[in-house]
Each structure stands twice: as C-alpha cells, then as structure tokens.
Amino acid sequence: MTRSRVVVAGGGAAGMMAAITAARQGASVLLLEPNEKVGRKLYITGKGRCNVTNHCSLAQFMDNIPRNGRFLYSALSRFGPEETIAFFEALDVPLKTERGRRVFPQSDRSSDIIDALFLELRRQRVELCRDRVTGLWAVQGRLDRIETEHSGQIKDCKAIILATGGASYPRTGSTGDGYRLARAVGHTIRPIRGSLVPLESRDPCCTQLQGLSLRNVELTVQDDAGKRVFCQQGELLFTHFGMSGPLALSASAHLDFEKHRYVAHIDLKPALDEQRLDARLLRDFEEKMNQDYANALRGLIPQSMVPVFVERTAIPADTKVHHIRREQRRRLLECLKSLSFPLAGTRPVREAVITSGGVDVGEINPKTMESKKVPGLYFAGELLDLDAYTGGFNLQIAWSTGYAAGLAAADRTENL
C-alpha cells in the first residue's frame, strides 16, 4: 500500500505546475503519469515551439476566454502571464515575445520548457510514478481512497489534484479519464467537444484548394440567422476536408453546430474597401485588356484559386478582359471580398488542440480549485470547463489553475 500526502494525477502542464507548487510549500507529493515521460502534449504545442503564455493584461486575457472567464479571475490575478514568465526565466529558460504578444522560449524548442519542469520536479523531490488513477472513492462527502492501475490503492491521501487533461490528442495521454473519475464522485460534466479544431466544408472548392495557405486575409463566420459570430484577420489553410490554420481554429471556439449552421466568408483583400478595390480592378483591367480573364487573375489571387474564381464569377476563362462587363467585374469584386463556403461541422475532438466542456466550474472553488462536493479533491487544466482562443491563453490557464490547486492542496496538508 502506497502512502502520500498530496497526489497529482497527470503529468502535463497543469499537473507539473501543481506538483511543483505543492512541493515548494513543503508538501510530500506523488505525481502519477501514465506516459513514459511527462509533458508529452507540451511537445506539440505552438507547432513544437511551445507558446508558453500571452504577455497581456488581465483585461485582455479575459477578452480571449469565450466562456466562464470570470471563474479564472482569482487564479489569473495570483499567477498570470507575468508570474509565468518569471517562473520559467528563474528556471533558466530565456523567453521572447512575438507578434500578438505570444511568448516562446528563445530556443524555439518546447523541450526546453519540459526539461526545466522535469528538473524542478526532481529538485523539489516530487516522487514520479508511471501509473494512472482508475478510481476515486468518497465516504460521507470526503475523499477516502484512490485506486491506481499498477500501484493498487492509495490511502491516507490528504489531497488529490486531477490534472488528467481533456479528450483531445488522446495519443498524448488525454483520454478523458478525468471526466469519468469526477462524475463518479458526483461532479457534473458539461458536454465535451473540440475547440481550436479545424472546420469541415463539403464545398468541392475546398478540395480544389487543398494545401493553399493564405496570409493576411479576414475570416468572417455567420450563422443561419445572418448574425456575425466571428471576424478576425490572419492565416488560413485549405485542406481536403475544409479549413485549418489559426483563423479556422479560433473560429471553431465560437461555433455550436448542434444549434446552428454556418457560412464562412473570406475577404482576400481586407486592406481595401470595395471602392478602392474596384478602382484597382479597373487599373488592372486597363493594363491587361487584351489578356484572357484567367491570366489576368494571376496578379490578384494565387494560381490555384484561378479555376475557383472562374467558376464562382461565371466568367469564361478565355474571355478577353476588355469584354468583361461591369456586372461581371462586380461579381469578381464580391468574390474577392467575400469568398463563401458553407461549413458542415468541426473535425473530431481527438484532432482538436483543446477540449471545450468538462467539469462544471460552478462546482469548484475558483480561488483554490477545490471541489465543493468532495473536500480534498482539486482540479486543474483542461479537465475543467474552460477554454480560450489560440495564442498562449490555454497554456496559461493550465499554469494558473495548477498553481492555485497546488498551493491550496499543500495548505490543506499543513492544516489537517
């Protein structure tokens, strides 16, 4: 039988932060992680560069959390982006801030973040065990014991922090175990779906454009009532199933396909209003009046988009530019400013960057991350019903909730 005072289930970002924080407060900590190495999901964050946080104000941070942002106010106030940056630089990981206030290690290697956390776990004498929690038992509303896959039961545990992740990228260990464990002791699990996930479209033009990456475009998404639910400039990638890239991922956080249908509109020339764009078309057509329409388009759009524009504008490819009528030029302008694609849904949750839904935050103390139903049970990270936009915000949520849970769990062991 294993005995420990604080048990942390999950060796991802939130779990490691929780374990380090609790150990720094003097608690005896056991960290359970089923993978051979900790921080596996961190390896793939930020395209392998690890977008550690976003160096913004608390108000700006809140603007990037579409749901349940108020729950995070206390945790972010105590351990926000400034504290995260100081934490890693104190662990000898130099950081840099890039476009959009995104913070990365100067080396552009996620392994530097993981190695620093692992070394700090060792310095703080956190016991690491390759194992997973398979069961939780509460007696008369209090945590009684923990069942693990390999080590058997853990009793006399003063606190357990569940940081097992969501349901995205299951190959990294986020298999949704935490939802089952939380539900078993009475917690409500809000519906799980992918967030920051690519978008599907059955429009055959997406397949034609597969592999095309667009920069400095504006993506607007409207619902079936005509309401604009998302609008942002950035980068977009066409795939065989629809759209990916930063804009598509960010848009997905705003969409609920169980309630609405959506249409995506791409503005290929967001820097030009319609009047200025029409003036440019007139100049281009004047210069290329004897060229075929398809050839004249190449200065306006990427080559792979030409067949799509020929189809969408219904102007034959071999039409001489000087024969294009005013109403045809208007159709071209409309396509340039609003190239539309109906959306069919999102990719499966296993392909999502993060999971939306999870443990109902109304059942959690926002200052300590402790369960209101089972004293001694704490939650951190993606397991909670919290998600934010891309740009380092979700990883900061992991650091902040992990810190709050680790601090409170250690304090509980001192006072029992």
Side-chain angles (χ1 to χ4, degrees), residues 167-171 194-198 200 240-241 244 249 346-354:
S168 59
Y169 290 122
R171 67 182 184 275
S195 187
L196 302 186
V197 62
E200 292 185 343
H240 67 284
F241 56 74
S244 188
L249 299 185
T346 61
R347 295 296 286 171
V349 65
R350 64 179 180 272
E351 297 181 26
V353 176
I354 59 164

Side-chain angles (χ1 to χ4, degrees), residues 225-376:
K227 180 182 177 182
R228 187 173 73 174
V229 295
F230 176 83
C231 184
Q232 196 174 103
Q233 290 188 27
E235 299 176 18
L236 190 69
L237 172 69
F238 284 100
T239 69
H240 67 284
F241 56 74
M243 303 174 191
S244 188
L247 282 179
L249 299 185
S250 293
S252 71
H254 297 260
L255 311 182
D256 185 350
F257 285 91
E258 292 183 1
K259 295 181 179 178
H260 298 284
R261 300 272 72 82
Y262 300 94
V263 177
H265 304 274
I266 303 170
D267 184 347
L268 296 166
K269 307 292 179 183
L272 300 175
D273 59 24
E274 289 192 3
Q275 185 176 359
R276 291 167 62 199
L277 180 56
D278 193 41
R280 176 182 168 177
L281 290 178
L282 284 170
R283 289 196 304 271
D284 285 359
F285 283 8
E286 182 76 21
E287 293 174 3
K288 302 172 182 178
M289 64 170 55
N290 294 317
Q291 290 187 21
D292 290 348
Y293 172 57
N295 290 332
L297 284 175
R298 290 173 184 165
L300 283 168
I301 56 176
Q303 173 66 34
S304 59
M305 294 192 101
V306 171
V308 173
F309 267 71
V310 168
E311 178 185 340
R312 293 285 184 99
T313 59
I315 303 172
D318 59 355
T319 302
K320 296 300 180 183
V321 169
H322 63 269
H323 286 154
I324 293 177
R325 301 185 303 275
R326 182 177 179 178
E327 64 269 21
Q328 291 177 312
R329 191 179 79 244
R330 179 68 192 178
R331 288 204 300 270
L332 171 58
L333 185 148
E334 289 172 352
C335 280
L336 288 167
K337 294 297 288 181
S338 183
L339 189 63
S340 301
F341 299 88
L343 299 175
T346 61
R347 295 296 286 171
V349 65
R350 64 179 180 272
E351 297 181 26
V353 176
I354 59 164
T355 308
S356 178
V359 178
D360 187 342
V361 295
E363 300 170 354
I364 309 296
N365 183 323
K367 293 183 179 180
T368 63
M369 300 298 138
E370 185 175 21
S371 166
K372 294 178 181 178
K373 292 177 173 287
V374 184

Side-chain angles (χ1 to χ4, degrees), residues 83-100:
E83 288 76 18
T84 296
I85 291 168
F87 174 85
F88 282 105
E89 291 190 335
L91 297 182
D92 295 325
V93 183
L95 304 175
K96 60 181 177 180
T97 303
E98 296 186 356
R99 179 176 54 87

Side-chain angles (χ1 to χ4, degrees), residues 33 69 95 111 122 140 161 165 168 184 212 217 223 250 267 279 301 349 359 380 396 412 414:
E33 167 55 47
L95 304 175
S111 58
R122 293 183 64 179
Q140 295 181 342
I161 302 170
S168 59
L212 174 64
V217 297
D223 65 16
S250 293
D267 184 347
I301 56 176
V349 65
V359 178
Q396 181 59 54
R412 178 181 177 82
E414 287 293 314

